[in-house]
Amino acid sequence: RRAEARGDDSLSRPALHGIDRALDRIIDRDGGFYVEAGANDGYAQSNTYWLARFRGWRGVLVEPIPELFAEVVRERPEAHAFNCALVPFGHPGETVEMRYGGLMSVVAGARGSEADDRAYVGTAFLLGIEEERDVVVPARTLSSILDELGAPEVDLLSLDVEGFEPSVLEGLDLERHAPRFVLVEVHDVSGGRERIEAILGERYEPLGPLSPGDVLYRRR
């Protein structure tokens, strides 16, 4: 905070692979509106932190894990924070079971099976500082959140939800809530884009990868 007050952003670019720098260069605007799903604690690996601190962006942060959500609320006062998991339209029930893995927390079954889920999050606990656990969280579609807020046009949707990205997009009404830019983490870069691009359709064009696992799309 002291560095930021001096205009020093050297500690304020937590995004991996310089993604925040690339987004700033491509979008290049002050006062934008973001949605970041998979917010973690609001800082670690955040693609929107720098935009909020240094270009006056505001927006929506979604984090399902309650302890991390509490950090989001403290860290990002400019944001509307939601403690839920984003789901597609027609999701059965009002909750989602999550397997906690820090930055790698996943929706139960997202990796294919319970064993695959546990193997995936297990790497987060190699130091023994925390223990793997399951947590049940509210389920919401992204469009329901935007409707509740009466949100303006979304300039950037950033999705990093450990393989559940297509399902999140299936809960976004693109007729009413099509973001100008969509940044999606793609776990299988060679074949994983197919389902995402089928959902985005002709409305979006790919601008290419911003990292080894993140692809940026622009609304046509």
Side-chain angles (χ1 to χ4, degrees), residues 55-114:
R55 298 210 67 170
W57 283 48
R58 60 190 181 90
V60 174
L61 293 172
V62 181
E63 174 52 50
I65 305 301
E67 297 91 331
L68 294 175
F69 172 76
E71 296 290 335
V72 169
V73 172
R74 286 191 286 267
E75 185 68 48
R76 300 289 291 274
E78 89 287 348
H80 301 279
F82 287 84
N83 181 207
C84 63
L86 297 177
V87 296
F89 294 116
H91 172 77
E94 298 180 353
T95 60
V96 168
E97 182 181 357
M98 301 285 302
R99 293 203 165 87
Y100 176 69
L103 283 162
M104 297 164 60
S105 300
V106 297
V107 172
R111 307 303 299 179
S113 70
E114 180 177 350

CSV table of all heavy atoms in Angstrom, one decimal, residues 55-114:
chain,number,residue,atom,x,y,z
A,55,ARG,N,-5.5,1.8,-12.8
A,55,ARG,CA,-6.3,2.4,-13.9
A,55,ARG,C,-7.7,2.6,-13.5
A,55,ARG,O,-8.6,2.9,-14.4
A,55,ARG,CB,-6.1,1.6,-15.2
A,55,ARG,CG,-4.7,1.6,-15.7
A,55,ARG,CD,-4.6,1.5,-17.2
A,55,ARG,NE,-5.1,2.6,-17.9
A,55,ARG,CZ,-4.9,2.8,-19.2
A,55,ARG,NH1,-4.2,1.9,-20.0
A,55,ARG,NH2,-5.4,3.9,-19.8
A,56,GLY,N,-8.0,2.4,-12.2
A,56,GLY,CA,-9.3,2.8,-11.7
A,56,GLY,C,-10.5,1.8,-12.1
A,56,GLY,O,-11.6,2.2,-12.1
A,57,TRP,N,-10.1,0.6,-12.5
A,57,TRP,CA,-11.2,-0.4,-12.8
A,57,TRP,C,-11.9,-0.8,-11.6
A,57,TRP,O,-11.4,-0.8,-10.5
A,57,TRP,CB,-10.6,-1.6,-13.5
A,57,TRP,CG,-10.2,-1.4,-14.9
A,57,TRP,CD1,-9.4,-0.3,-15.4
A,57,TRP,CD2,-10.4,-2.2,-16.0
A,57,TRP,NE1,-9.2,-0.5,-16.8
A,57,TRP,CE2,-9.8,-1.7,-17.2
A,57,TRP,CE3,-11.1,-3.4,-16.2
A,57,TRP,CZ2,-9.9,-2.3,-18.4
A,57,TRP,CZ3,-11.2,-4.0,-17.4
A,57,TRP,CH2,-10.6,-3.4,-18.5
A,58,ARG,N,-13.2,-1.2,-11.8
A,58,ARG,CA,-14.0,-1.8,-10.7
A,58,ARG,C,-14.7,-3.0,-11.3
A,58,ARG,O,-14.6,-3.2,-12.6
A,58,ARG,CB,-15.0,-0.8,-10.1
A,58,ARG,CG,-16.0,-0.3,-11.2
A,58,ARG,CD,-16.8,0.9,-10.6
A,58,ARG,NE,-17.7,1.4,-11.6
A,58,ARG,CZ,-19.0,0.9,-11.8
A,58,ARG,NH1,-19.4,-0.1,-11.0
A,58,ARG,NH2,-19.8,1.4,-12.7
A,59,GLY,N,-15.3,-3.8,-10.5
A,59,GLY,CA,-16.0,-5.0,-11.1
A,59,GLY,C,-16.5,-6.0,-10.1
A,59,GLY,O,-16.9,-5.7,-9.0
A,60,VAL,N,-16.4,-7.2,-10.6
A,60,VAL,CA,-16.9,-8.4,-9.8
A,60,VAL,C,-15.8,-9.4,-9.6
A,60,VAL,O,-15.1,-9.8,-10.6
A,60,VAL,CB,-18.1,-9.0,-10.6
A,60,VAL,CG1,-18.5,-10.3,-9.9
A,60,VAL,CG2,-19.2,-8.1,-10.8
A,61,LEU,N,-15.7,-9.9,-8.4
A,61,LEU,CA,-14.8,-11.0,-8.1
A,61,LEU,C,-15.6,-12.1,-7.5
A,61,LEU,O,-16.4,-11.9,-6.6
A,61,LEU,CB,-13.7,-10.5,-7.0
A,61,LEU,CG,-12.7,-9.5,-7.5
A,61,LEU,CD1,-11.8,-9.0,-6.4
A,61,LEU,CD2,-11.8,-10.0,-8.7
A,62,VAL,N,-15.4,-13.3,-8.0
A,62,VAL,CA,-16.1,-14.5,-7.6
A,62,VAL,C,-15.1,-15.5,-7.1
A,62,VAL,O,-14.2,-15.9,-7.7
A,62,VAL,CB,-16.9,-15.1,-8.8
A,62,VAL,CG1,-17.7,-16.3,-8.3
A,62,VAL,CG2,-17.8,-14.1,-9.4
A,63,GLU,N,-15.3,-15.9,-5.8
A,63,GLU,CA,-14.5,-16.9,-5.2
A,63,GLU,C,-15.3,-17.8,-4.3
A,63,GLU,O,-16.0,-17.4,-3.4
A,63,GLU,CB,-13.4,-16.2,-4.3
A,63,GLU,CG,-12.6,-17.2,-3.5
A,63,GLU,CD,-11.9,-18.3,-4.3
A,63,GLU,OE1,-11.3,-18.0,-5.3
A,63,GLU,OE2,-12.1,-19.5,-3.9
A,64,PRO,N,-15.3,-19.1,-4.6
A,64,PRO,CA,-16.2,-20.0,-3.8
A,64,PRO,C,-15.7,-20.4,-2.4
A,64,PRO,O,-16.5,-20.8,-1.6
A,64,PRO,CB,-16.3,-21.3,-4.7
A,64,PRO,CG,-15.0,-21.2,-5.5
A,64,PRO,CD,-14.7,-19.8,-5.7
A,65,ILE,N,-14.4,-20.5,-2.2
A,65,ILE,CA,-13.9,-21.0,-0.9
A,65,ILE,C,-14.0,-19.9,0.1
A,65,ILE,O,-13.5,-18.8,0.0
A,65,ILE,CB,-12.4,-21.3,-1.1
A,65,ILE,CG1,-12.2,-22.4,-2.2
A,65,ILE,CG2,-11.9,-21.9,0.3
A,65,ILE,CD1,-13.0,-23.7,-2.0
A,66,PRO,N,-14.8,-20.1,1.2
A,66,PRO,CA,-15.1,-19.1,2.2
A,66,PRO,C,-13.9,-18.3,2.7
A,66,PRO,O,-13.9,-17.1,2.9
A,66,PRO,CB,-15.9,-19.8,3.3
A,66,PRO,CG,-16.5,-21.0,2.6
A,66,PRO,CD,-15.5,-21.4,1.5
A,67,GLU,N,-12.8,-19.0,3.1
A,67,GLU,CA,-11.7,-18.4,3.7
A,67,GLU,C,-11.0,-17.4,2.7
A,67,GLU,O,-10.6,-16.3,3.1
A,67,GLU,CB,-10.7,-19.4,4.2
A,67,GLU,CG,-11.2,-20.3,5.3
A,67,GLU,CD,-11.8,-21.6,4.8
A,67,GLU,OE1,-12.3,-21.6,3.7
A,67,GLU,OE2,-11.7,-22.6,5.5
A,68,LEU,N,-10.9,-17.9,1.5
A,68,LEU,CA,-10.3,-17.0,0.4
A,68,LEU,C,-11.2,-15.8,0.1
A,68,LEU,O,-10.8,-14.7,-0.1
A,68,LEU,CB,-10.0,-17.8,-0.8
A,68,LEU,CG,-9.0,-18.9,-0.7
A,68,LEU,CD1,-8.9,-19.7,-1.9
A,68,LEU,CD2,-7.6,-18.3,-0.3
A,69,PHE,N,-12.5,-16.1,0.1
A,69,PHE,CA,-13.5,-15.0,-0.1
A,69,PHE,C,-13.3,-13.9,0.9
A,69,PHE,O,-13.4,-12.7,0.6
A,69,PHE,CB,-14.9,-15.6,-0.1
A,69,PHE,CG,-16.0,-14.5,-0.1
A,69,PHE,CD1,-16.3,-13.8,-1.3
A,69,PHE,CD2,-16.7,-14.2,1.0
A,69,PHE,CE1,-17.2,-12.8,-1.3
A,69,PHE,CE2,-17.7,-13.2,1.0
A,69,PHE,CZ,-17.9,-12.5,-0.2
A,70,ALA,N,-13.1,-14.2,2.2
A,70,ALA,CA,-12.9,-13.2,3.2
A,70,ALA,C,-11.7,-12.4,2.9
A,70,ALA,O,-11.7,-11.2,3.2
A,70,ALA,CB,-12.8,-13.9,4.6
A,71,GLU,N,-10.6,-13.0,2.4
A,71,GLU,CA,-9.5,-12.2,1.9
A,71,GLU,C,-9.8,-11.3,0.8
A,71,GLU,O,-9.3,-10.1,0.7
A,71,GLU,CB,-8.3,-13.1,1.6
A,71,GLU,CG,-7.8,-14.0,2.7
A,71,GLU,CD,-7.1,-13.2,3.7
A,71,GLU,OE1,-6.5,-12.1,3.4
A,71,GLU,OE2,-7.0,-13.6,4.9
A,72,VAL,N,-10.6,-11.7,-0.2
A,72,VAL,CA,-11.0,-10.9,-1.3
A,72,VAL,C,-11.7,-9.6,-0.8
A,72,VAL,O,-11.4,-8.5,-1.3
A,72,VAL,CB,-12.0,-11.7,-2.2
A,72,VAL,CG1,-12.6,-10.8,-3.2
A,72,VAL,CG2,-11.2,-12.8,-2.9
A,73,VAL,N,-12.6,-9.8,0.2
A,73,VAL,CA,-13.4,-8.7,0.7
A,73,VAL,C,-12.4,-7.6,1.3
A,73,VAL,O,-12.6,-6.4,1.1
A,73,VAL,CB,-14.4,-9.1,1.7
A,73,VAL,CG1,-15.1,-7.9,2.4
A,73,VAL,CG2,-15.5,-10.0,1.0
A,74,ARG,N,-11.4,-8.1,2.0
A,74,ARG,CA,-10.4,-7.2,2.6
A,74,ARG,C,-9.5,-6.5,1.6
A,74,ARG,O,-9.2,-5.4,1.7
A,74,ARG,CB,-9.6,-7.9,3.7
A,74,ARG,CG,-10.4,-8.2,5.0
A,74,ARG,CD,-9.4,-8.7,6.1
A,74,ARG,NE,-9.0,-10.1,5.8
A,74,ARG,CZ,-9.6,-11.2,6.3
A,74,ARG,NH1,-10.7,-11.0,7.0
A,74,ARG,NH2,-9.1,-12.4,6.0
A,75,GLU,N,-9.1,-7.3,0.6
A,75,GLU,CA,-8.1,-6.9,-0.3
A,75,GLU,C,-8.6,-6.0,-1.4
A,75,GLU,O,-7.9,-5.1,-1.9
A,75,GLU,CB,-7.4,-8.1,-1.0
A,75,GLU,CG,-6.3,-7.8,-1.9
A,75,GLU,CD,-5.1,-7.3,-1.1
A,75,GLU,OE1,-4.7,-7.8,-0.1
A,75,GLU,OE2,-4.5,-6.2,-1.6
A,76,ARG,N,-9.9,-6.2,-1.8
A,76,ARG,CA,-10.4,-5.5,-3.0
A,76,ARG,C,-11.7,-4.7,-2.7
A,76,ARG,O,-12.8,-5.1,-3.1
A,76,ARG,CB,-10.6,-6.6,-4.1
A,76,ARG,CG,-9.4,-7.3,-4.5
A,76,ARG,CD,-8.4,-6.5,-5.3
A,76,ARG,NE,-8.9,-6.2,-6.6
A,76,ARG,CZ,-8.8,-7.0,-7.7
A,76,ARG,NH1,-8.2,-8.1,-7.6
A,76,ARG,NH2,-9.3,-6.6,-8.8
A,77,PRO,N,-11.6,-3.6,-2.0
A,77,PRO,CA,-12.8,-2.8,-1.7
A,77,PRO,C,-13.5,-2.3,-2.9
A,77,PRO,O,-14.7,-1.9,-2.8
A,77,PRO,CB,-12.2,-1.7,-0.8
A,77,PRO,CG,-10.8,-1.6,-1.2
A,77,PRO,CD,-10.3,-3.0,-1.5
A,78,GLU,N,-12.8,-2.2,-4.0
A,78,GLU,CA,-13.5,-1.6,-5.2
A,78,GLU,C,-14.4,-2.6,-5.9
A,78,GLU,O,-15.2,-2.2,-6.8
A,78,GLU,CB,-12.4,-1.2,-6.3
A,78,GLU,CG,-12.0,-2.2,-7.3
A,78,GLU,CD,-11.1,-3.3,-6.7
A,78,GLU,OE1,-10.6,-3.2,-5.6
A,78,GLU,OE2,-10.8,-4.3,-7.4
A,79,ALA,N,-14.4,-3.9,-5.5
A,79,ALA,CA,-15.1,-4.9,-6.2
A,79,ALA,C,-16.4,-5.3,-5.5
A,79,ALA,O,-16.5,-5.2,-4.2
A,79,ALA,CB,-14.2,-6.2,-6.3
A,80,HIS,N,-17.3,-5.8,-6.3
A,80,HIS,CA,-18.5,-6.5,-5.7
A,80,HIS,C,-18.0,-8.0,-5.6
A,80,HIS,O,-17.7,-8.7,-6.6
A,80,HIS,CB,-19.7,-6.4,-6.7
A,80,HIS,CG,-20.1,-5.1,-6.9
A,80,HIS,ND1,-21.0,-4.4,-6.1
A,80,HIS,CD2,-19.9,-4.2,-8.0
A,80,HIS,CE1,-21.2,-3.2,-6.6
A,80,HIS,NE2,-20.6,-3.0,-7.7
A,81,ALA,N,-17.9,-8.5,-4.4
A,81,ALA,CA,-17.4,-9.9,-4.2
A,81,ALA,C,-18.6,-10.8,-3.9
A,81,ALA,O,-19.5,-10.5,-3.2
A,81,ALA,CB,-16.5,-9.9,-3.0
A,82,PHE,N,-18.5,-12.0,-4.6
A,82,PHE,CA,-19.5,-13.0,-4.5
A,82,PHE,C,-18.9,-14.4,-4.0
A,82,PHE,O,-17.9,-14.8,-4.7
A,82,PHE,CB,-20.2,-13.2,-5.8
A,82,PHE,CG,-21.2,-12.1,-6.1
A,82,PHE,CD1,-20.7,-10.9,-6.7
A,82,PHE,CD2,-22.5,-12.1,-5.8
A,82,PHE,CE1,-21.5,-9.8,-7.0
A,82,PHE,CE2,-23.4,-11.1,-6.0
A,82,PHE,CZ,-22.9,-9.9,-6.7
A,83,ASN,N,-19.4,-14.9,-3.0
A,83,ASN,CA,-18.9,-16.2,-2.5
A,83,ASN,C,-19.8,-17.3,-3.0
A,83,ASN,O,-20.8,-17.7,-2.5
A,83,ASN,CB,-19.0,-16.2,-0.9
A,83,ASN,CG,-18.5,-17.5,-0.3
A,83,ASN,OD1,-18.9,-17.8,0.8
A,83,ASN,ND2,-17.6,-18.2,-1.0
A,84,CYS,N,-19.5,-17.8,-4.2
A,84,CYS,CA,-20.3,-18.9,-4.9
A,84,CYS,C,-19.4,-19.5,-5.9
A,84,CYS,O,-18.3,-19.1,-6.3
A,84,CYS,CB,-21.5,-18.3,-5.5
A,84,CYS,SG,-21.2,-17.0,-6.8
A,85,ALA,N,-20.0,-20.6,-6.5
A,85,ALA,CA,-19.4,-21.2,-7.7
A,85,ALA,C,-20.3,-20.9,-8.9
A,85,ALA,O,-21.5,-20.9,-8.8
A,85,ALA,CB,-19.3,-22.7,-7.5
A,86,LEU,N,-19.7,-20.6,-10.0
A,86,LEU,CA,-20.4,-20.3,-11.2
A,86,LEU,C,-20.8,-21.5,-11.9
A,86,LEU,O,-19.9,-22.4,-12.1
A,86,LEU,CB,-19.6,-19.3,-12.1
A,86,LEU,CG,-19.3,-17.9,-11.5
A,86,LEU,CD1,-18.5,-17.1,-12.4
A,86,LEU,CD2,-20.6,-17.2,-11.1
A,87,VAL,N,-22.0,-21.6,-12.4
A,87,VAL,CA,-22.5,-22.9,-13.0
A,87,VAL,C,-23.3,-22.6,-14.3
A,87,VAL,O,-23.6,-21.4,-14.5
A,87,VAL,CB,-23.5,-23.6,-12.0
A,87,VAL,CG1,-22.7,-24.1,-10.8
A,87,VAL,CG2,-24.6,-22.8,-11.6
A,88,PRO,N,-23.5,-23.6,-15.1
A,88,PRO,CA,-24.3,-23.3,-16.3
A,88,PRO,C,-25.8,-23.2,-16.0
A,88,PRO,O,-26.3,-23.6,-14.9
A,88,PRO,CB,-24.1,-24.6,-17.1
A,88,PRO,CG,-23.7,-25.6,-16.1
A,88,PRO,CD,-23.0,-24.9,-15.0
A,89,PHE,N,-26.6,-22.6,-16.9
A,89,PHE,CA,-28.0,-22.6,-16.8
A,89,PHE,C,-28.5,-24.0,-16.7
A,89,PHE,O,-28.0,-25.0,-17.4
A,89,PHE,CB,-28.6,-21.9,-18.1
A,89,PHE,CG,-28.3,-20.5,-18.2
A,89,PHE,CD1,-27.6,-20.0,-19.3
A,89,PHE,CD2,-28.7,-19.6,-17.2
A,89,PHE,CE1,-27.3,-18.7,-19.4
A,89,PHE,CE2,-28.4,-18.2,-17.4
A,89,PHE,CZ,-27.7,-17.8,-18.5
A,90,GLY,N,-29.5,-24.2,-15.9
A,90,GLY,CA,-30.1,-25.6,-15.7
A,90,GLY,C,-29.3,-26.4,-14.7
A,90,GLY,O,-29.6,-27.6,-14.6
A,91,HIS,N,-28.3,-25.9,-14.0
A,91,HIS,CA,-27.6,-26.6,-13.0
A,91,HIS,C,-28.6,-27.2,-12.0
A,91,HIS,O,-29.4,-26.5,-11.4
A,91,HIS,CB,-26.6,-25.8,-12.3
A,91,HIS,CG,-25.9,-26.4,-11.2
A,91,HIS,ND1,-24.9,-27.4,-11.3
A,91,HIS,CD2,-26.1,-26.3,-9.8
A,91,HIS,CE1,-24.5,-27.8,-10.1
A,91,HIS,NE2,-25.2,-27.1,-9.2
A,92,PRO,N,-28.5,-28.5,-11.7
A,92,PRO,CA,-29.4,-29.1,-10.7
A,92,PRO,C,-29.1,-28.7,-9.3
A,92,PRO,O,-27.9,-28.8,-8.9
A,92,PRO,CB,-29.3,-30.6,-10.9
A,92,PRO,CG,-27.9,-30.7,-11.5
A,92,PRO,CD,-27.6,-29.5,-12.3
A,93,GLY,N,-30.0,-28.1,-8.5
A,93,GLY,CA,-29.7,-27.8,-7.1
A,93,GLY,C,-29.2,-26.4,-7.0
A,93,GLY,O,-28.9,-25.7,-7.9
A,94,GLU,N,-29.0,-26.0,-5.7
A,94,GLU,CA,-28.6,-24.6,-5.4
A,94,GLU,C,-27.2,-24.6,-4.8
A,94,GLU,O,-26.7,-23.5,-4.4
A,94,GLU,CB,-29.5,-24.0,-4.4
A,94,GLU,CG,-31.0,-23.9,-4.9
A,94,GLU,CD,-31.9,-23.3,-3.9
A,94,GLU,OE1,-31.5,-23.1,-2.7
A,94,GLU,OE2,-33.1,-23.0,-4.2
A,95,THR,N,-26.5,-25.7,-4.8
A,95,THR,CA,-25.1,-25.7,-4.3
A,95,THR,C,-24.2,-26.5,-5.2
A,95,THR,O,-24.6,-27.2,-6.1
A,95,THR,CB,-25.1,-26.4,-2.9
A,95,THR,OG1,-25.6,-27.7,-3.0
A,95,THR,CG2,-25.9,-25.6,-1.9
A,96,VAL,N,-22.9,-26.4,-4.9
A,96,VAL,CA,-21.8,-27.1,-5.6
A,96,VAL,C,-20.8,-27.6,-4.6
A,96,VAL,O,-20.5,-26.9,-3.7
A,96,VAL,CB,-21.1,-26.2,-6.7
A,96,VAL,CG1,-19.8,-26.9,-7.2
A,96,VAL,CG2,-22.0,-25.9,-7.8
A,97,GLU,N,-20.4,-28.8,-4.8
A,97,GLU,CA,-19.3,-29.4,-3.9
A,97,GLU,C,-18.0,-29.0,-4.5
A,97,GLU,O,-17.7,-29.3,-5.7
A,97,GLU,CB,-19.4,-30.9,-3.7
A,97,GLU,CG,-18.4,-31.5,-2.8
A,97,GLU,CD,-18.5,-33.0,-2.6
A,97,GLU,OE1,-19.4,-33.6,-3.2
A,97,GLU,OE2,-17.6,-33.6,-2.0
A,98,MET,N,-17.1,-28.4,-3.7
A,98,MET,CA,-15.8,-28.0,-4.1
A,98,MET,C,-14.7,-28.9,-3.4
A,98,MET,O,-15.0,-29.3,-2.3
A,98,MET,CB,-15.5,-26.6,-3.8
A,98,MET,CG,-16.4,-25.6,-4.5
A,98,MET,SD,-16.1,-25.3,-6.2
A,98,MET,CE,-14.4,-24.8,-6.2
A,99,ARG,N,-13.6,-29.1,-4.1
A,99,ARG,CA,-12.4,-29.7,-3.4
A,99,ARG,C,-11.4,-28.6,-3.3
A,99,ARG,O,-10.9,-28.1,-4.3
A,99,ARG,CB,-11.9,-30.9,-4.1
A,99,ARG,CG,-13.0,-32.0,-4.1
A,99,ARG,CD,-12.4,-33.4,-4.3
A,99,ARG,NE,-13.4,-34.4,-3.9
A,99,ARG,CZ,-14.4,-34.9,-4.7
A,99,ARG,NH1,-14.4,-34.5,-6.0
A,99,ARG,NH2,-15.3,-35.7,-4.2
A,100,TYR,N,-11.1,-28.3,-2.0
A,100,TYR,CA,-10.1,-27.2,-1.8
A,100,TYR,C,-8.7,-27.6,-2.1
A,100,TYR,O,-8.2,-28.6,-1.7
A,100,TYR,CB,-10.2,-26.8,-0.3
A,100,TYR,CG,-9.2,-25.7,0.1
A,100,TYR,CD1,-9.3,-24.4,-0.4
A,100,TYR,CD2,-8.1,-26.0,0.8
A,100,TYR,CE1,-8.4,-23.5,-0.1
A,100,TYR,CE2,-7.2,-25.0,1.2
A,100,TYR,CZ,-7.3,-23.8,0.7
A,100,TYR,OH,-6.4,-22.8,1.0
A,101,GLY,N,-8.1,-26.7,-2.9
A,101,GLY,CA,-6.7,-26.9,-3.3
A,101,GLY,C,-6.0,-25.5,-3.4
A,101,GLY,O,-5.2,-25.4,-4.3
A,102,GLY,N,-6.3,-24.6,-2.6
A,102,GLY,CA,-5.7,-23.2,-2.7
A,102,GLY,C,-6.0,-22.6,-4.1
A,102,GLY,O,-7.2,-22.5,-4.5
A,103,LEU,N,-5.0,-22.2,-4.8
A,103,LEU,CA,-5.2,-21.7,-6.1
A,103,LEU,C,-5.7,-22.7,-7.1
A,103,LEU,O,-6.1,-22.4,-8.2
A,103,LEU,CB,-3.8,-21.1,-6.6
A,103,LEU,CG,-3.4,-19.8,-6.1
A,103,LEU,CD1,-1.9,-19.5,-6.3
A,103,LEU,CD2,-4.2,-18.6,-6.7
A,104,MET,N,-5.7,-24.0,-6.7
A,104,MET,CA,-6.1,-25.1,-7.6
A,104,MET,C,-7.4,-25.7,-7.2
A,104,MET,O,-7.7,-26.9,-7.5
A,104,MET,CB,-5.0,-26.1,-7.7
A,104,MET,CG,-3.7,-25.5,-8.3
A,104,MET,SD,-2.3,-26.5,-8.0
A,104,MET,CE,-2.7,-28.0,-8.9
A,105,SER,N,-8.2,-25.1,-6.4
A,105,SER,CA,-9.5,-25.6,-5.9
A,105,SER,C,-10.3,-25.9,-7.2
A,105,SER,O,-10.4,-25.2,-8.1
A,105,SER,CB,-10.2,-24.7,-5.0
A,105,SER,OG,-9.4,-24.4,-3.9
A,106,VAL,N,-11.1,-27.0,-7.1
A,106,VAL,CA,-11.9,-27.5,-8.3
A,106,VAL,C,-13.3,-27.8,-7.8
A,106,VAL,O,-13.5,-28.2,-6.7
A,106,VAL,CB,-11.2,-28.7,-9.0
A,106,VAL,CG1,-9.9,-28.3,-9.5
A,106,VAL,CG2,-11.2,-29.9,-8.1
A,107,VAL,N,-14.2,-27.7,-8.8
A,107,VAL,CA,-15.5,-28.3,-8.6
A,107,VAL,C,-15.4,-29.8,-8.6
A,107,VAL,O,-14.7,-30.4,-9.5
A,107,VAL,CB,-16.5,-27.8,-9.8
A,107,VAL,CG1,-17.8,-28.5,-9.7
A,107,VAL,CG2,-16.7,-26.3,-9.7
A,108,ALA,N,-16.1,-30.4,-7.7
A,108,ALA,CA,-16.0,-31.9,-7.7
A,108,ALA,C,-16.4,-32.5,-9.0
A,108,ALA,O,-17.5,-32.2,-9.5
A,108,ALA,CB,-17.0,-32.4,-6.5
A,109,GLY,N,-15.6,-33.3,-9.5
A,109,GLY,CA,-15.8,-34.0,-10.8
A,109,GLY,C,-15.3,-33.2,-12.0
A,109,GLY,O,-15.3,-33.8,-13.1
A,110,ALA,N,-14.8,-32.0,-11.8
A,110,ALA,CA,-14.3,-31.2,-12.9
A,110,ALA,C,-13.1,-31.9,-13.7
A,110,ALA,O,-13.0,-31.7,-14.9
A,110,ALA,CB,-13.9,-29.8,-12.5
A,111,ARG,N,-12.3,-32.7,-12.9
A,111,ARG,CA,-11.2,-33.3,-13.6
A,111,ARG,C,-11.5,-34.7,-14.1
A,111,ARG,O,-10.6,-35.4,-14.6
A,111,ARG,CB,-10.0,-33.4,-12.6
A,111,ARG,CG,-9.7,-32.1,-11.9
A,111,ARG,CD,-9.3,-31.0,-12.9
A,111,ARG,NE,-8.2,-31.3,-13.7
A,111,ARG,CZ,-7.7,-30.5,-14.7
A,111,ARG,NH1,-8.3,-29.4,-14.9
A,111,ARG,NH2,-6.7,-30.9,-15.4
A,112,GLY,N,-12.8,-35.1,-14.0
A,112,GLY,CA,-13.2,-36.4,-14.6
A,112,GLY,C,-13.6,-37.4,-13.5
A,112,GLY,O,-14.6,-38.2,-13.8
A,113,SER,N,-13.0,-37.5,-12.4
A,113,SER,CA,-13.4,-38.4,-11.3
A,113,SER,C,-12.9,-37.9,-10.0
A,113,SER,O,-12.1,-37.0,-9.9
A,113,SER,CB,-12.8,-39.8,-11.6
A,113,SER,OG,-11.4,-39.8,-11.4
A,114,GLU,N,-13.4,-38.5,-8.9
A,114,GLU,CA,-13.0,-38.1,-7.6
A,114,GLU,C,-11.5,-38.3,-7.4
A,114,GLU,O,-10.8,-37.4,-6.9
A,114,GLU,CB,-13.7,-38.8,-6.5
A,114,GLU,CG,-13.3,-38.5,-5.1
A,114,GLU,CD,-14.1,-39.2,-4.0
A,114,GLU,OE1,-15.1,-39.8,-4.4
A,114,GLU,OE2,-13.8,-39.0,-2.9
